[in-house]
Amino acid sequence: MGSVDISDYSDTNKVVRTDNEKSDGIIAAPPQYDGDMVGEMSEAERNIYEHGVKKFSRLGWKRLTIVLIVEAIALGSLSIPSSFATLGMVAGVICCVGLGFVAIYTSYIVGLVKLKFPEVAHYPDAGRLLFGRFGYELVNAMLILQLTFLTGSHCLTGTIAFTNITESSICSVVFGVVSAILLLLLAIPPSFAEMAILGYVDFGSIIAAIGITIIGTGIKSTDAPGGLSAVEWSAWPKEGTTFTDAFIAVSNIVFAYSFAMCQFSFMDEMHTPKDFVKSIWTLGLVEIVIYTVTGALIYAFVGVDVKSPALLSAGHTLSRVAFGIALPVIFISGSINTVVCGRLIHGRIFKNSPIRFINTPMGWITWLAIITAITVAAFIIAEVIPFFSDLLSISSALFISGFTFYFPALMWFMLLREGKWTERRNLMIGALNLAILIIGLVTLVGGTYSSIDDIILNYKAGTVRGVFACSMS
């Protein structure tokens, strides 16, 4: 490829690189004001600007890893055992490990794009590089919807958790409102470096909840008549598995590896972006181990009747304990999606104003208004699609298929490839990215069809509660 000029694409005055330039991994400062505004900045405005630059440039690779863990290892791990129950042990393990390494590779591509084009602050900016203004608006809409769906799925999980913990007759919609309020409160800090502090609590929470569920299901199956040998599980897909069932199971695994969609946003706060490689390898390997072990063990202990989320399978008392321990991960991980979405919207509205730094009264007022609107929309989604697996599946098919698979593949073809196609290296990497592109498109089409089909079947069968209804199925 020749030199790439994206001056027509960028709304900012950040540094622009070409294919022949090598990035040292250091980001330029956030975008300056338009030329005619610089001279008009008062000393107070300059202080606000400088404070804002420092506030949003404090993320190192260790904190990036924690933030990625907060965003990634949450609800996905709770859906994996039910995917194993549908796909069988062999296909479940292959999908967990295989898709995990694909996600690490595509996340690496995303990081290389960020290093080459430091002005890319969020995924929509990469969409602009690929397809101009249309690409920007398309990816912007996809990312906002996906992040809102994610917050909605956490709101739904919070509702399920509170209903199981309390075992009260209180309307489940009330628990949904409580969950939405908690998600909103935790989303108030706008900096990812600040959110990283909560990440340690988040990670400990999900590990403890998973551990309790594994131990609880293991003891329960051991004490049952026949012991572990009586558990009904299979190495192969269960009998009668339909196309819809299989694709929803795969889509739930895809959902678990969705960390690439927020990577541009997180890396934009790094003081040394080239260190991102350490973060994605650490996160990717941790995810592969946790998901594979969780899915395989809980499926082996519970069998084909494993529930989704998996915490429901731990037994009456232990499931309540597990949900109680999982509350931090439900709400901390959910809130970070609200923060990413809010930063995306807030930064676009106030891109040429010090308000975007959220360190003035007007900055805080507008920030709170935006994250409140996102949380309300997420609550409505959780009530309209009140069943866990399908909510994760439809968001995976519509959005994560792009952010994790076909968009990174296109980025390599259009933004990163160097030299001639006939070079051996380009032929090999090109074939890999073409395969990833196909995986993404198949997930988009097949997953969307399967999710919608299953939602319709669930409503027809009456197996879920109605919209804004009080009972839980």
Side-chain angles (χ1 to χ4, degrees):
M1 293 176 65
S3 176
V4 177
D5 181 5
I6 64 165
S7 58
D8 293 335
Y9 297 158
S10 180
D11 291 330
T12 71
N13 293 322
K14 278 189 177 182
V15 178
V16 176
R17 298 184 184 277
T18 67
D19 283 349
N20 296 322
E21 294 174 331
K22 301 297 182 182
S23 171
D24 61 1
I26 305 298
I27 274 187
Q32 302 286 337
Y33 297 98
D34 292 338
D36 60 339
M37 296 182 64
V38 174
E40 300 174 6
M41 288 175 62
S42 65
E43 183 177 351
E45 288 176 325
R46 288 186 181 277
N47 288 335
I48 292 171
Y49 176 83
E50 291 171 2
H51 178 267
V53 170
K54 293 178 182 178
K55 179 178 181 179
F56 294 108
S57 303
R58 295 182 293 150
L59 206 61
W61 78 267
K62 294 178 182 177
R63 278 194 173 185
L64 173 62
T65 304
I66 293 298
V67 173
L68 285 170
I69 286 174
V70 171
E71 191 267 330
I73 304 178
L75 300 184
S77 59
L78 305 183
S79 67
I80 298 295
S82 65
S83 294
F84 271 67
T86 300
L87 300 172
M89 190 69 76
V90 173
V93 170
I94 291 173
C95 285
C96 268
V97 176
L99 290 174
F101 280 108
V102 170
I104 292 173
Y105 172 73
T106 55
S107 185
Y108 176 68
I109 293 295
V110 167
L112 291 182
V113 171
K114 175 62 181 175
L115 295 186
K116 189 172 184 179
F117 304 99
E119 69 282 355
V120 174
H122 300 285
Y123 219 119
D125 295 329
R128 191 196 302 272
L129 292 176
L130 292 172
F131 307 114
R133 180 62 181 269
F134 170 77
Y136 177 83
E137 298 297 346
L138 173 65
V139 178
N140 192 66
M142 288 176 63
L143 185 56
I144 289 173
L145 286 171
Q146 169 60 15
L147 291 167
T148 307
F149 264 75
L150 278 171
T151 303
S153 63
H154 283 264
C155 185
L156 173 60
T157 310
T159 304
I160 296 172
F162 284 132
T163 301
N164 279 272
I165 291 169
T166 62
E167 293 186 336
S168 70
S169 58
I170 296 175
C171 179
S172 57
V173 177
V174 174
F175 288 129
V177 172
V178 172
S179 297
I181 291 172
L182 290 172
L183 287 166
L184 174 61
L185 292 176
L186 287 169
I188 290 176
S191 167
F192 299 127
E194 294 166 343
M195 292 295 294
I197 297 173
L198 296 174
Y200 298 99
V201 178
D202 180 283
F203 186 60
S205 169
I206 192 62
I207 293 300
I210 289 173
I212 287 174
T213 304
I214 292 174
I215 294 171
T217 53
I219 294 174
K220 184 179 177 182
S221 61
T222 301
D223 293 341
L228 289 174
S229 61
V231 177
E232 187 182 351
W233 66 270
S234 173
W236 312 109
K238 66 181 180 181
E239 187 177 348
T241 298
T242 64
F243 175 85
T244 293
D245 294 335
F247 234 104
I248 288 175
V250 174
S251 295
N252 282 339
I253 296 176
V254 170
F255 179 93
Y257 292 110
S258 60
F259 53 90
M261 68 178 180
C262 296
Q263 190 175 327
F264 284 119
S265 303
F266 296 156
M267 287 183 65
D268 204 49
E269 283 196 22
M270 291 186 74
H271 52 70
T272 313
K274 64 183 179 181
D275 286 343
F276 83 95
V277 179
K278 303 174 187 176
S279 296
I280 63 171
W281 270 108
T282 302
L283 170 67
L285 294 176
V286 168
E287 276 196 303
I288 289 171
V289 171
I290 289 177
Y291 293 158
T292 305
V293 171
T294 300
L297 287 181
I298 294 180
Y299 175 46
F301 291 154
V302 179
V304 294
D305 294 325
V306 65
K307 298 178 181 179
S308 182
L311 302 185
L312 292 170
S313 299
H316 178 265
T317 302
L318 274 181
S319 67
R320 296 172 67 189
V321 174
F323 268 120
I325 293 175
L327 288 178
V329 73
I330 292 171
F331 296 111
I332 294 173
S333 291
S335 64
I336 200 168
N337 296 298
T338 307
V339 173
V340 175
C341 189
R343 287 277 302 279
L344 181 65
I345 297 171
H346 194 272
R348 180 173 181 177
I349 295 174
F350 301 107
K351 63 181 179 182
N352 288 323
S353 168
I355 290 175
R356 78 182 184 275
F357 290 121
I358 316 173
N359 55 1
T360 61
M362 183 54 66
W364 280 107
I365 290 171
T366 52
W367 172 251
L368 292 174
I370 288 172
I371 62 174
T372 299
I374 294 168
T375 305
V376 170
F379 167 74
I380 293 172
I381 289 173
E383 291 299 316
V384 171
I385 312 178
F387 25 103
F388 188 73
S389 288
D390 284 330
L391 182 53
L392 302 192
S393 178
I394 195 168
S395 66
S396 296
L398 289 174
F399 309 119
I400 295 174
S401 60
F403 296 127
T404 302
F405 297 124
Y406 60 79
F407 282 144
L410 290 174
M411 288 176 197
W412 183 84
F413 284 113
M414 301 175 67
L415 302 176
L416 297 178
R417 181 183 62 84
E418 296 179 350
K420 297 180 179 180
W421 277 109
T422 52
E423 294 179 11
R424 183 178 179 182
R425 180 174 181 274
N426 281 339
L427 288 174
M428 294 175 62
I429 300 178
L432 173 61
N433 282 281
L434 179 60
I436 293 172
L437 176 65
I438 293 171
I439 291 173
L441 294 177
V442 169
T443 303
L444 171 64
V445 177
T448 302
Y449 166 79
S450 300
S451 301
I452 295 174
D453 182 51
D454 201 54
I455 289 171
I456 293 172
L457 291 174
N458 274 312
Y459 269 116
K460 285 182 177 179
T463 57
V464 294
R465 65 182 174 92
V467 178
F468 296 106
C470 290
S471 61
M472 293 291 295
S473 59

